[in-house]
């Protein structure tokens, strides 16, 4: 039987158009939540809405670029006007590509930091204001194992995710007294359109053999279930935590 832990709750998922964000939206919808979905890509967002409208209690989709704090403010205003509150934020939108330290251009450095770190902050800050008024809420930020250890050719990405880890801990310290929990999830290798655009099958097979004790890559659902746990009452005393979901990769 599917649990229904989020009936009556409003869950905002950014980057909900595909990949992990879409799986997270589906998980919360199946457990009874109303969804506010944000992505910068209108067509992938429309597909997510089509897939979930029969399942979700209610859905509002807003097209916005999280790196633009004006667009974030407008999106949050629309969401609060529609639902009156936000109980859970899954701050997931992000981008990645490979580039060596010596080749990263100023534009590419700025874009990754702008979306993955600044964008995450704009959304978390706007939603924190709403949750402080409510005196309750859960903020979940998407970090990565790359926010905890380095990986060659991802200096900009790793720096952005390392920033998300410490943003999460600092927000947890400041917002605990307002009844708000703030945690991060640090996935390892998850098979999504993002990772498929970067790596070919041969690379992935070798990576799994060399690095992942569980012998497979993660699926978006492996991560969605962890977000649902952290948002649930079972995690009522968990805050400032970064939960690694990597098939054992960081156990080495
Ligand atoms: N795939 C992995 O192996 C992996 C591992 C660790 C962490 N992550 C993180 O998980 C998150 C989701 O990754 P994914 O693999 O599902 O990626 P994906 O590219 O498949 O999906 C990303 C989603 O975010 C949206 N998005 C991108 N830039 C945006 C912006 N500026 N504003 C609003 N929406 C934006 C995209 O339109 C898309 O819907 C990212 O933060 C990523 O860094 C992924």
């Amino acid at each position: 039987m599917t649990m229904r832990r989020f009936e009556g709750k409003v869950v905002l998922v950014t980057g909900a158009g595909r990949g992990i964000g879409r799986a997270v939206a589906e998980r919360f919808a199946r457990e009874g939540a109303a969804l506010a979905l944000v992505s910068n890509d209108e067509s992938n967002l429309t597909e997510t809405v089509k897939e979930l409208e029969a399942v979700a209690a209610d859905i509002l989709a807003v097209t916005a670029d999280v790196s633009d704090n004006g667009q974030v403010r407008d999106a949050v205003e629309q969401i609060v006007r529609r639902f009156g509150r936000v109980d859970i934020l899954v701050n997931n939108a992000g981008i990645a590509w490979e580039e060596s330290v010596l080749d990263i251009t100023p534009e590419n450095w700025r874009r990754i930091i702008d979306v993955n770190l600044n964008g995450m902050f704009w959304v978390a800050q706007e939603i924190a204001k709403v949750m402080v008024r409510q005196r309750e809420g859960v903020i979940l930020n998407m970090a990565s194992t790359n926010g905890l250890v380095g990986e060659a050719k991802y200096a900009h990405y790793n720096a952005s995710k390392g920033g998300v880890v410490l943003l999460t801990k600092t927000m947890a310290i400041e917002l605990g007294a307002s009844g708000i929990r703030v945690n991060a999830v640090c996935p390892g290798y998850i098979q999504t359109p993002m990772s498929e655009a970067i790596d070919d099958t041969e690379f992935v097979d070798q990576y799994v053999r060399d690095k992942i004790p569980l012998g497979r890559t993660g699926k978006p659902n492996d991560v969605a279930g962890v977000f649902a746990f952290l948002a649930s009452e079972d995690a009522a005393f968990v805050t400032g935590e970064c939960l690694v979901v990597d098939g054992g990769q960081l156990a080495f």
Side-chain angles (χ1 to χ4, degrees):
M1 197 182 75
T2 315
M3 289 181 282
R4 305 275 297 174
R5 293 175 289 185
F6 304 112
E7 263 166 14
K9 302 283 187 198
V10 178
V11 181
L12 163 55
V13 184
T14 69
R18 64 183 205 184
I20 299 169
R22 184 182 285 182
V24 168
E26 178 172 356
R27 178 62 184 251
F28 280 102
R30 289 196 183 281
E31 291 210 35
L35 301 176
L37 305 179
V38 171
S39 171
N40 63 339
D41 180 328
E42 197 174 349
S43 74
N44 72 28
L45 195 55
T46 306
E47 268 178 47
T48 300
V49 172
K50 265 198 222 137
E51 268 190 36
L52 298 185
E53 59 198 351
V55 183
D58 197 357
I59 306 188
L60 172 67
V62 183
T63 306
D65 181 336
V66 296
S67 71
D68 180 328
N69 59 336
Q71 289 187 35
V72 168
R73 213 175 302 124
D74 291 348
V76 171
E77 246 179 60
Q78 267 191 66
I79 291 162
V80 172
R81 213 179 307 128
R82 167 73 172 270
F83 293 111
R85 59 186 294 112
V86 175
D87 297 291
I88 297 155
L89 164 64
V90 179
N91 208 357
N92 161 77
I95 53 176
W97 58 79
E98 282 187 318
E99 216 165 16
S100 63
V101 167
L102 298 183
D103 293 333
I104 295 174
T105 61
E107 294 70 29
N108 285 354
W109 177 271
R110 287 197 188 96
R111 186 62 191 156
I112 289 206
I113 299 293
D114 242 358
V115 175
N116 293 7
L117 181 57
N118 299 344
M120 205 147 295
F121 177 66
W122 305 135
V123 178
Q125 187 187 42
E126 284 306 313
I127 290 300
K129 292 177 194 166
V130 175
M131 290 178 173
V132 165
R133 288 199 294 274
Q134 295 169 182
R135 305 290 302 167
E136 64 177 353
V138 178
I139 294 175
L140 301 174
N141 294 325
M142 176 58 99
S144 168
T145 48
N146 289 46
L148 301 173
V149 297
E151 182 180 6
K153 300 207 180 141
Y154 287 95
H156 36 22
Y157 182 75
N158 300 346
S160 73
K161 294 299 186 180
V164 170
V165 169
L166 281 178
L167 171 64
T168 301
K169 289 180 185 285
T170 309
M171 290 187 77
I173 295 165
E174 286 194 31
L175 298 173
S178 301
I180 300 165
R181 295 190 294 110
V182 187
N183 290 295
V185 174
C186 293
Y189 200 108
I190 313 297
Q191 206 82 46
T192 68
M194 173 194 277
S195 52
E196 279 158 14
I198 301 173
D199 301 318
D200 61 26
T201 322
E202 203 180 322
F203 173 90
V204 177
D205 289 347
Q206 189 67 43
Y207 191 95
V208 167
R209 275 196 297 276
D210 292 348
K211 299 186 184 210
I212 307 181
L214 286 184
R216 65 170 177 88
T217 54
K219 302 185 195 80
N221 266 333
D222 291 318
V223 184
V226 172
F227 275 110
F229 159 68
L230 285 172
S232 78
E233 278 303 301
D234 285 339
F237 200 51
V238 181
T239 197
E241 176 58 24
C242 299
L243 216 165
V244 172
V245 186
D246 69 346
Q249 187 174 340
L250 292 196
F252 281 106

